Amino acid sequence: MAATDETLQAASDASPPGRKPPGAASARARMPGWLPRAMVLALALIACFQLGSWAFHQLTGLLINVLIAFFLALAVEPAVSWMAGRGLRRGMATGVVFLGVMIAGAGFVVLLGSMLAGQIVSMVEDFPEYLDSVINWINQTFHTDLNRVAVQDSLLHSDWLQKYVQNSASGVLDVSGQVLGGLFRLLTILLFSFYFAADGPRLRRALCSVLPPAKQAEVLRAWEIAVDKTGGYLYSRGLMALISGVAHYILLEALGVPYAPVLAVWVGLVSQFIPTIGTYLAGALPMLIAFTVDPWYALWVLIFVVVYQQFENYVLQPKLTAKTVDIHPAVAFGSVIAGTALLGAVGALVAIPAVATLQAFLGAYVKRYAVTDDPRVHGHRTRSGASLFARMRDVLRKPEDPRAEAEPGPEADGDDTRDDSR
């Protein structure tokens, strides 16, 4: 028999004061109507987050390529805009700029490859002479009886050499795959950067069309700052690469090192466009080539590279980048480290122009005030009348009784007496 409202009321009246009727407990234990919908919504949000995270990790390579292409488009934007302002169609102007960049890059790679191939061939041909000279030095120094034929046989029949050849043969396919992947990535970057540069005005209009008029001016100003800073960074780096290449060409040509023009171009480009370690990578190849001519020449090249790097860091770079990038060297170094940690080599390349753009954008909108005329602003500390030693002595000699400080001692009375007598 179903319980009616009268029976529930009677049961509640008849129950003790500390106990609740069973019907009321079951009614309160019933699941709320909103809880299933909340659970379904939470599961849907978790599934969307997992799907977005998976998609982001799968598209990380493409996003990095798009980022590089965007900064490359910002770098060539001034040249493209200048040519478009002279009456040339923007697509044609972009094609001309990219064609010039590709021809210069291909020519540099061909010259560098031919130089390295020639040096490798000459080193292989002269290897017996180098080996004889090393063996003669070992025999004279350590009083041994080595000969070149025995050393060559031991090298050719060694297990280490056989394992190295096997590993190299198995790694040829990996190297080929990496080369093909690098070419495809380069093609993707060039294609995206071409579209970004050629359709720059259309892209800006599409971006501004979804923003209110007050925000459109801010976006266009940020875009202009990014173009100025990125282009200025690359152009200043290009000028420093030219100066570095000329200086190293003069040294290599004076020493009689072969392939001096190609080595100078290598030093200029690698030292400027690979942050932090570019100088050491750039100087290693000229040192190796100079060592094949004369070991002392390699030492001279090393000294010149170190001295020129200091001159560039403290004299040349501050003057050239003062109006283009204008960021503190410590900030630039920290941004390169952060960019490398986030995006690897790509982050190291785009870190400085990105930080320069952010700094310029913040500097345009952050309100600044006049700095007070205080010596501490200029690095001068204000000194009080008592020295630090005197204050420490007063603290150590502090009397235990606080009233002793107020009561003058005999010495103080004597001093006062002497002062009065005077």
Side-chain angles (χ1 to χ4, degrees):
M1 180 180 295
T4 61
D5 296 338
E6 290 79 3
T7 58
L8 289 176
Q9 183 66 28
S12 62
D13 294 338
S15 61
R19 298 180 60 184
K20 295 181 180 180
S26 62
R28 292 188 178 182
R30 188 182 305 164
M31 180 182 297
W34 57 267
L35 186 57
R37 294 193 298 271
M39 294 177 63
V40 171
L41 181 59
L43 292 176
L45 291 177
I46 294 174
C48 291
F49 176 77
Q50 294 292 336
L51 181 61
S53 178
W54 173 81
F56 178 78
H57 286 293
Q58 294 295 323
L59 298 176
T60 301
L62 178 61
L63 295 177
I64 292 176
N65 293 338
V66 172
L67 179 64
I68 299 174
F70 180 72
F71 273 96
L72 183 59
L74 292 179
V76 301
E77 176 69 22
V80 173
S81 299
W82 181 83
M83 297 179 68
R86 298 299 186 275
L88 193 63
R89 294 180 56 184
R90 191 172 182 88
M92 184 64 68
T94 306
V96 170
V97 173
F98 273 86
L99 182 61
V101 172
M102 291 175 63
I103 290 175
F108 172 72
V109 170
V110 170
L111 290 176
L112 184 63
S114 62
M115 182 267 295
L116 290 177
Q119 287 300 118
I120 290 173
V121 170
S122 63
M123 290 176 65
V124 170
E125 292 177 351
D126 297 337
F127 181 75
E129 297 181 1
Y130 291 139
L131 188 57
D132 288 337
S133 62
V134 172
I135 289 174
N136 292 332
W137 180 80
I138 292 175
N139 291 333
Q140 294 176 2
T141 305
F142 300 100
H143 304 286
T144 57
D145 190 12
L146 299 176
N147 57 74
R148 179 162 56 88
V149 178
V151 173
Q152 289 179 350
D153 291 339
S154 62
L155 289 175
L156 291 176
H157 295 88
S158 62
D159 296 335
W160 172 82
L161 183 61
Q162 293 178 0
K163 292 181 180 179
Y164 178 77
V165 171
Q166 292 176 359
N167 294 331
S168 300
S170 62
V172 170
L173 296 178
D174 296 337
V175 173
S176 302
Q178 292 178 0
V179 171
L180 293 177
L183 291 176
F184 179 76
R185 184 177 182 181
L186 179 61
L187 180 61
T188 304
I189 292 172
L190 291 177
L191 186 62
F192 274 108
S193 59
F194 178 83
Y195 286 140
F196 286 152
D199 294 338
R202 185 183 304 175
L203 181 61
R204 287 190 287 269
R205 286 195 299 269
L207 183 60
C208 292
S209 63
V210 297
L211 297 174
K215 298 296 182 181
Q216 293 179 10
E218 305 296 332
V219 171
L220 294 177
R221 183 169 184 175
W223 193 294
E224 183 180 359
I225 291 174
V227 169
D228 293 339
K229 293 301 178 180
T230 305
Y233 169 74
L234 291 181
Y235 294 151
S236 61
R237 287 289 174 176
L239 182 58
M240 286 192 294
L242 177 62
I243 298 174
S244 176
V246 171
H248 287 84
Y249 170 75
I250 294 174
L251 173 69
L252 297 175
E253 191 68 26
L255 295 177
V257 178
Y259 304 102
V262 181
L263 290 175
V265 174
W266 163 265
V267 172
L269 292 179
V270 175
S271 63
Q272 300 303 322
F273 291 99
I274 297 182
T276 308
I277 63 172
T279 303
Y280 308 104
L281 294 177
L285 185 59
M287 288 176 55
L288 179 62
I289 304 301
F291 185 82
T292 60
V293 180
D294 191 342
W296 288 104
Y297 289 174
L299 180 60
W300 283 112
V301 171
L302 176 61
I303 294 174
F304 183 81
V305 167
V306 173
V307 172
Y308 180 81
Q309 183 65 27
Q310 303 306 315
F311 167 76
E312 180 183 279
N313 291 338
Y314 293 101
V315 179
L316 188 61
Q317 183 174 352
K319 294 182 179 298
L320 293 179
T321 60
K323 296 182 179 180
T324 56
V325 181
D326 194 18
I327 60 177
H328 195 272
V331 177
F333 182 71
S335 63
V336 168
I337 295 177
T340 304
L342 293 175
L343 299 176
V346 177
L349 289 175
V350 303
I352 294 180
V355 171
T357 302
L358 181 61
Q359 179 179 347
F361 187 74
L362 293 178
Y365 293 98
V366 174
K367 188 177 181 180
R368 297 181 181 274
Y369 300 92
V371 180
T372 180
D373 190 10
D374 194 300
R376 289 170 292 184
V377 175
H378 305 285
H380 304 293
R381 295 182 58 189
T382 57
R383 296 179 178 271
S384 59
S387 62
L388 179 62
F389 178 75
R391 282 180 288 178
M392 292 178 62
R393 184 182 59 188
D394 294 339
V395 171
L396 294 176
R397 293 181 178 179
K398 184 177 180 180
E400 297 180 357
D401 189 3
R403 293 174 299 177
E405 295 181 358
E407 297 177 357
E411 295 181 359
D413 296 339
D415 293 341
D416 295 340
T417 305
R418 285 194 298 269
D419 293 340
D420 295 338
S421 62
R422 288 178 185 178

